[in-house]
Amino acid sequence: VALASLDKDGEGGWYMRLCLRSVEWSGAAVIKLMQWASGRPDMFGSEFCRVFSRLQDATTPHSWAHTEEVMRRAYGDDWKQRIHLTKLIGSGCIGQVYEGYVSSTNSGTKDQKVAIKVRHPCVMRDIDDDLDLMRIAVVAMDHLPSAARGDALKWLNAEGIVEEFAKMLKHQLDFRAEARNLVRFNNNFRKDDSIVFPKLVEGFDAYPDVLIESFCEGVPVMQYVRENCDDRVSMTRMCSAGIAAVCKMIFVDNFLHGDIHPGNVLVGHDKRLIFLDVGIVMEFSEADHDAIVNVLSSFIRADGRAAGRFLISDSDRRLATGASSAVDVDGYIEKMKALTDRASGKNYFMEHCGAYITYICDCAAMHHVMLNEAFVSAALAIKVQEGIALALDPAVECYRIANPIILRSELYRKLIKVGEKFGLDAETVKSLLMSKDTIVGMWETMSSSSDR
């Protein structure tokens, strides 16, 4: 399907078509990686992204016979009396989505428009094979002589990153997990009118291989950008809403949509951002979340030395060697300070986060600081957010949106520790933090209006 649309549009050339076909044949895990890459024209070029963006919703679909069998097993032999599939609207690496209607009785009346997700056959086996190949590749490289592989791979924690990716991808294979994620995201953003998530449909339970959810009308975010390039006011507003949403997921909620590529972000008719396909989520342990918040908060305050010490401390904690494994600790800390000094002017950290994270990775390899896979996962999410934000508004000042959210998260975690001494639970502290009528709320307002 992707190749057919490529030929129709007359784009790409034979080499790009060959690469696209190779990726489709390589399996779901590789497709998932390329979906992320296709959202970064600043890193891979507009031609690459135009070609591989087709993998976001135009992979080869499975047969109608398989869909019928899945629906029959889940909803009974009479499923067609209550569920009406009208057309196929997209096919990704895990499954495909139909537009349809459901009726509350067997009368055949079309009561509600819905999206029906059906898992591809054999995808579980295919993903297991893909992940095994990735693990074998990492182990094989780890056993190569240092002169052949270099030291960077070890300190970038490739094995941990593969396992983190495996955990997220395997979780997406059970649509019941996605149903639970939808409930949680809708609750987390219940007070945010700028962000929309699909909702579960009452009376139609989720199953491992099929999910029915409310249908969200909208167009892909990149299509909206192309077709509405003159509507700068709306795109700037949506850009700000998207940055705030992702920062809230990472730093406040500790519950992050792990598959935010441009194919999963729509713009609704009311110009609200719609986040789809929440099967992959990231939720960090308390220690890892503390590390992420501490490191990024230090960078935002331009305290590079503190950020460097936090990164080394986290590396030592996970290596459990009893002593620091870092080489030239003072040199590493000074490089983090130099980074924040360079990023404190017009090249502010949150406005060029992707480039700075690459620099952090290079320094980690050079100084033997083991990067936390949770930090890398959050960094990738920021990189994808960065790509969408740049498309919506190239002039956006990310720091004005991200700073108060990240600093609020740091304050929240400190208040939790204080609250424990006075018998206050986490939810009470969080409600106080979110309230504009409290001292904390006043602090947040001042932070958001102050200059960096």
Side-chain angles (χ1 to χ4, degrees), residues 88-350:
L88 177 67
I89 57 176
S91 178
C93 63
I94 303 298
Q96 56 198 47
V97 183
Y98 295 87
E99 178 185 310
Y101 294 86
V102 296
S103 43
S104 55
T105 66
N106 291 332
S107 63
T109 305
K110 298 178 179 179
D111 294 336
Q112 181 181 351
K113 191 174 184 180
V114 296
I116 301 101
K117 299 183 68 171
V118 181
R119 193 175 65 196
H120 291 317
C122 305
V123 69
M124 297 182 72
R125 182 197 64 200
D126 292 344
I127 284 182
D128 282 337
D129 293 343
D130 293 342
L131 294 173
D132 284 343
L133 288 173
M134 290 183 182
R135 293 183 179 109
I136 291 171
V138 169
V139 171
M141 287 187 287
D142 194 46
H143 283 80
L144 288 173
S146 297
R149 62 173 169 84
D151 289 330
L153 186 66
K154 175 182 177 181
W155 302 107
L156 292 181
N157 194 10
E159 184 177 353
I161 293 171
V162 169
E163 292 307 318
E164 183 81 2
F165 181 64
K167 181 174 67 175
M168 291 189 299
L169 201 55
K170 294 294 286 291
H171 194 67
Q172 190 184 23
L173 295 176
D174 188 340
F175 287 165
R176 293 173 299 183
E178 181 167 355
R180 293 190 293 269
N181 295 342
L182 280 175
V183 172
R184 190 163 171 184
F185 275 121
N186 274 291
N187 182 61
N188 289 347
F189 285 86
R190 65 190 182 280
K191 296 181 181 179
D192 190 338
D193 294 332
S194 63
I195 302 297
V196 176
F197 289 89
K199 293 179 172 61
L200 299 181
V201 179
E202 187 177 353
F204 296 89
D205 293 337
Y207 291 88
D209 50 2
V210 62
L211 170 65
I212 298 179
E213 61 188 31
S214 61
F215 191 90
C216 295
E217 301 276 2
V219 298
V221 62
M222 293 306 186
Q223 178 183 335
Y224 183 89
V225 169
R226 291 193 299 269
E227 296 174 353
N228 298 271
C229 56
D230 295 329
D231 189 4
R232 302 309 313 171
V233 173
S234 294
M235 287 202 284
T236 296
R237 179 177 54 77
M238 288 187 291
C239 176
S240 299
I243 294 170
V246 173
C247 287
K248 180 178 184 295
M249 291 178 197
I250 296 175
F251 300 108
V252 179
D253 300 332
N254 188 20
F255 193 70
L256 170 64
H257 190 320
D259 197 17
I260 304 180
H261 60 74
N264 284 340
V265 182
L266 305 182
V267 178
H269 299 317
D270 52 3
K271 298 182 180 179
R272 294 194 293 172
L273 288 179
I274 302 168
F275 289 96
L276 304 176
D277 202 7
V278 300
I280 294 180
V281 296
M282 287 180 274
E283 187 172 9
F284 308 115
S285 69
E286 184 175 353
D288 286 345
H289 195 229
D290 271 337
I292 292 171
V293 173
N294 288 336
V295 170
L296 288 179
S297 296
S298 298
F299 277 125
I300 285 174
R301 290 194 304 268
D303 190 350
R305 289 195 176 98
R309 286 192 290 269
F310 278 128
L311 286 166
I312 291 173
S313 175
D314 180 69
S315 172
D316 294 342
R317 174 181 65 85
R318 287 175 301 104
L319 288 170
T321 58
S324 179
S325 300
V327 174
D328 186 12
V329 171
D330 290 340
Y332 177 77
I333 290 174
E334 287 305 309
K335 285 183 178 179
M336 295 300 101
K337 179 185 181 298
L339 171 62
T340 55
D341 289 346
R342 186 164 65 249
S344 61
K346 65 179 181 179
N347 293 321
Y348 189 67
F349 184 81
M350 287 306 296

